């Protein structure tokens, strides 16, 4: 407080969200079941902009992933982060609460990535239940079981989905897995959540897909009902 009027306003707004004046206590209780939910995470990369969603964001990185993408840069990124073993929901909040004012001022929040964050659906849903005032995004391949997707629908504010390619043969060659679950999960997600929360990313993958393949993916996604699509360039 006391820096500028905009910061004062953001601080007051944030304080109202986290503090219950009527009961004179914080709106979260670190002794409850959600706060004790734990997950193994590789690390947290704070104060990022431009790649993981709106505003200033902290990226929480999980390590496991069912895919084996040829140009995966995440595995080397994971190795550069300070390793965190098991962490509870309340411990993660403790690490990130100093960033709340930045989230508030910029419309940012937390992005769960990896690895495959949907393998940790219990942890993410527990986090959002406990701290509903924090914007939560996931960066996912959606190549997971549909229970995880359904479980997270009420708790995820933005879904960033790395589609790879909609052609099953290209997808299999690039990732080592079929994309059947991706397509079925995406169809389910489009019916269960606000379409504006779903951002599908379609990469140009050197040596794997062509411009025609990318255009095919874009058109298949539109047929499913996806309204927000980003094309990406992968660097070989
Ligand atoms: S889905 Fe992402 S984390 Fe998993 S192998 Fe592919 S690029 Fe790497």
């Amino acid at each position: 407080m006391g820096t500028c009027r905009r910061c004062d306003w953001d601080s007051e707004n944030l304080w109202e969200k986290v503090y219950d004046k009527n009961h004179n206590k914080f709106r979260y209780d670190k002794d409850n079941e959600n706060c004790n939910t734990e997950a193994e995470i590789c690390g947290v990369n704070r104060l990022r902009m431009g790649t993981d969603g709106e505003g200033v964001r902290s990226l929480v990185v999980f390590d496991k992933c069912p895919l084996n993408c040829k140009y995966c840069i995440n595995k080397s990124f994971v190795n550069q982060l300070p390793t965190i073993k098991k962490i509870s929901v309340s411990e993660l909040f403790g690490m990130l609460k100093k960033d709340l004012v930045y989230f508030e001022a910029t419309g940012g929040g937390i992005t769960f990535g990896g690895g495959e964050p949907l393998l940790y659906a219990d942890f993410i849903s527990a986090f959002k239940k406990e701290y509903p005032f924090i914007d939560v995004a996931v960066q996912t391949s959606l190549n997971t079981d549909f229970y995880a997707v359904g479980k997270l629908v009420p708790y995820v504010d933005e879904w960033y989905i790395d589609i790879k390619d909609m052609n099953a043969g290209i997808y299999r060659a690039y990732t080592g897995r079929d994309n059947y679950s991706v397509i079925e999960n995406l169809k389910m997600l489009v019916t269960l959540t606000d379409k504006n929360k779903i951002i599908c990313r379609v990469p140009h993958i050197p040596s794997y897909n062509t411009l025609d393949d990318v255009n095919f993916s874009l058109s298949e996604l539109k047929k499913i009902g996806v309204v927000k699509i980003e094309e990406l360039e992968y660097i070989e």
Side-chain angles (χ1 to χ4, degrees), residues 65 67-69 72-75 114-115 141 162 164:
C65 179
L67 305 188
N68 190 18
C69 301
C72 178
I73 54 169
N74 296 359
K75 287 169 189 165
S141 70
D162 186 3
K164 321 289 183 193

Side-chain angles (χ1 to χ4, degrees), residues 165-167 202 213-222:
D165 200 286
M166 291 292 277
N167 177 300
V202 179
D213 295 324
V214 170
N215 286 334
F216 171 78
S217 294
L218 300 182
S219 125
E220 290 298 298
L221 289 170
K222 285 175 192 161

Side-chain angles (χ1 to χ4, degrees), residues 24-196:
N24 202 28
K25 69 181 187 72
F26 284 97
R27 294 188 192 280
Y28 55 89
D29 174 2
K30 64 181 179 178
D31 294 327
N32 77 21
E33 193 185 334
N34 289 324
C35 280
N36 291 329
T37 305
E38 292 182 326
E40 301 241 352
I41 65 173
C42 294
V44 176
N45 202 236
R46 294 176 50 227
L47 306 179
R48 293 163 60 96
M49 287 192 79
T51 51
D52 312 310
E54 294 295 314
V56 172
R57 308 201 72 87
S58 289
L59 177 66
V60 178
V61 182
F62 297 111
D63 64 343
K64 296 189 183 76
C65 179
L67 305 188
N68 190 18
C69 301
K70 171 84 172 165
Y71 303 134
C72 178
I73 54 169
N74 296 359
K75 287 169 189 165
S76 51
F77 172 68
V78 161
N79 292 336
Q80 291 165 17
L81 291 172
T83 306
I84 297 172
K85 296 260 163 77
K86 226 170 221 180
I87 191 167
S88 69
V89 159
S90 62
E91 285 167 340
L92 179 62
F93 178 75
M95 285 178 68
L96 298 176
K97 65 184 177 190
K98 53 185 172 290
D99 299 333
L100 290 180
V101 73
Y102 301 113
F103 300 162
E104 185 69 24
T106 63
I110 293 181
T111 300
F112 290 100
E116 176 49 69
L118 266 59
L119 298 176
Y120 304 86
D122 288 342
F123 184 85
I124 296 170
S125 60
F127 186 90
K128 183 68 175 182
K129 276 185 217 163
E130 210 52 39
Y131 311 110
F133 49 88
I134 300 180
D135 184 276
V136 164
V138 291
Q139 291 176 332
T140 173
S141 70
L142 225 54
N143 202 331
T144 60
D145 72 60
F146 70 93
Y147 293 108
V149 180
K151 178 166 193 133
L152 284 177
V153 164
Y155 305 111
V156 168
D157 298 299
E158 296 94 34
W159 296 78
Y160 289 89
I161 302 167
D162 186 3
I163 291 292
K164 321 289 183 193
D165 200 286
M166 291 292 277
N167 177 300
I170 295 171
Y171 190 97
R172 198 178 309 110
Y174 181 63
T175 68
R177 291 278 297 262
D178 289 333
N179 65 346
Y180 177 78
S181 301
V182 179
I183 294 169
E184 292 308 304
N185 283 335
L186 184 58
K187 286 178 182 167
M188 178 176 75
L189 194 57
V190 165
T191 63
L192 290 180
T193 197
D194 179 352
K195 289 179 189 174
N196 288 307

